[in-house]
Amino acid sequence: MLVRARDVREIAQSVCGLVKRLVGADGVTFVLSEGELVYYAEEESPERLWKGRRFPANQCISGWAIMNRQTAVSEDIYADPRIPINAYRPTFVRSLAMVPIGHEEPLGSIGVYWARNHKATERELFLVEMLAEASLAALTRAVLQRDVEDLQSRLAPVEGRPHDEEEPSLARFIPLVAHDLKNPLGAISLASQSLIRSGALAGNELVNVRRILSSVERARRLVEEVLEYARLKARGGLPLDLEDARLDAVARSVVEEARTAFPGRRIELVAEETSGTWDSHRLAEVLANLLGNALQYGHPERPVTLRVETREGESCFEVHNFGPVIPDELLPVLFEPFRRGRSDGHCSVGLGLFIVNQIIQAHGGRIRVRSTLEQGTSFTVHLPRCQMQPIDPPLECTH
């Protein structure tokens, strides 16, 4: 889906396919704004339209939607003065809707075409506008991903510069982009939930909107990880809200949420009563991350096990799954920022395990990982049962 797309081409292809299926259009185009020009980056159509071509923005309907920051609907293109008829005459198009991607400064537009006279309905426009918001978020995320990777390469250790010295622009750039992503993602989420609750969808349409909602939620978690990373860098440590808590109760709550999110998966909880002084919300974040990774990467027909117990005066929990092993060369750097254990299309910029490790170290604990084909993959966390003051963890994890 959109949230997994890593470049403009993948985003454009996904959007064109989704729009065509959701509204039953005969053709769809994905147009990008290039200042005074518009570029038809992608299309899904029974015959070739304008893919790969550029036009003056002030001479086409896609440019009109972008410059006016509003949706254009034309039931009869031959009666609409905004439309350059000569460009459309050789095509099948008789009616269209053009929706801008974004409102304040649109990045482009999505064109929806019908081979008959048809006035786009409110429902059809709602669906396309929702996907336009999703496109805006996906395009922004793709830019963020590209720039983060570029900054990573620039931050590689060089002679004369300490390993942990950060490019100042990275600390400024990440939170700004992440904050900008939150609003469109929130709007898409609310719109998707509203559409599902309305009961207006059924069959494949309902499935597709549920997939959009699921993808948006993953993107929102990614944004929260990026913001958490920025906060960690700004504070130089992780503050905790310590309280008396039951680790087994926290684990049980996280497992219940995971079973709802992964209804077809088998999750086993083996927990003994374990009390201590911790930040229970932060520990729930750790458990949810480790359990979510195990469910995503583990073998779909094998169980994922969460075990909570006391060992030699410490509280421990272990998340175990069977599936592909983590390569040996990644184990020493697995908890470093912007590291990803596997490149299999899951939405991640490699901050989840870094934040997990920061939370555990702030509690005075430690985490270990073991991954073999025979025994599976286990993440084991050891925590002191009474950490009276939070420990500010170093931003570079120790191995």
Side-chain angles (χ1 to χ4, degrees), residues 55-269:
F55 300 95
N58 61 359
Q59 296 179 21
C60 56
I61 192 66
S62 56
W64 187 94
I66 293 168
M67 291 187 296
N68 288 276
R69 302 178 178 87
Q70 66 184 53
T71 296
V73 177
S74 180
E75 184 176 358
D76 180 1
I77 64 168
Y78 292 99
D80 192 330
R82 299 171 297 180
I83 294 175
I85 297 303
N86 288 336
Y88 280 80
R89 200 178 300 280
T91 73
F92 67 87
V93 180
R94 293 297 176 269
S95 302
L96 63 77
M98 191 67 64
V99 177
I101 301 173
H103 297 289
E104 294 184 5
E105 294 184 12
L107 299 183
S109 59
I110 299 172
V112 191
Y113 309 100
W114 290 270
R116 65 191 188 283
N117 280 12
H118 171 77
K119 185 175 182 179
T121 65
E122 289 186 8
R123 173 184 170 279
E124 290 167 343
L125 292 175
F126 174 81
L127 288 168
V128 180
E129 287 168 358
M130 184 175 66
L131 284 170
E133 289 292 329
S135 301
L136 176 65
L139 288 169
T140 308
R141 191 191 72 85
V143 171
L144 171 63
Q145 178 76 38
R146 183 196 64 200
D147 289 344
V148 165
E149 290 175 353
D150 177 62
L151 284 168
Q152 277 185 262
S153 64
R154 291 166 56 193
L155 292 175
V158 296
E159 187 175 353
R161 186 177 75 187
H163 177 71
D164 60 351
E165 183 180 323
E166 175 123 29
E167 176 82 20
S169 60
L170 179 61
R172 294 194 301 268
F173 173 79
I174 287 179
L176 291 175
V177 176
H179 275 296
D180 287 344
L181 276 169
K182 291 184 75 174
N183 286 338
L185 288 173
I188 300 165
S189 179
L190 289 173
S192 300
Q193 292 177 50
S194 175
L195 196 58
I196 291 170
R197 287 194 299 268
S198 71
L201 300 180
N204 289 336
E205 289 184 347
L206 181 60
V207 170
N208 285 329
V209 173
R210 288 190 185 277
R211 286 174 178 168
I212 291 170
L213 183 59
S214 176
S215 296
V216 168
E217 290 306 313
R218 286 197 298 271
R220 290 178 72 176
R221 288 195 294 271
L222 183 151
V223 169
E224 288 301 326
E225 286 182 359
V226 171
L227 289 172
E228 184 76 306
Y229 173 76
R231 286 191 288 264
L232 279 166
K233 299 298 286 185
R235 295 169 179 166
L238 182 73
L240 299 179
D241 185 9
L242 298 173
E243 60 182 357
D244 292 338
R246 287 264 302 275
L247 185 57
D248 56 302
V250 175
R252 192 166 290 107
S253 175
V254 170
V255 167
E256 288 175 0
E257 291 179 4
R259 285 173 176 159
T260 300
F262 296 84
R265 297 297 300 276
R266 187 171 148 208
I267 306 172
E268 297 178 348
L269 174 63

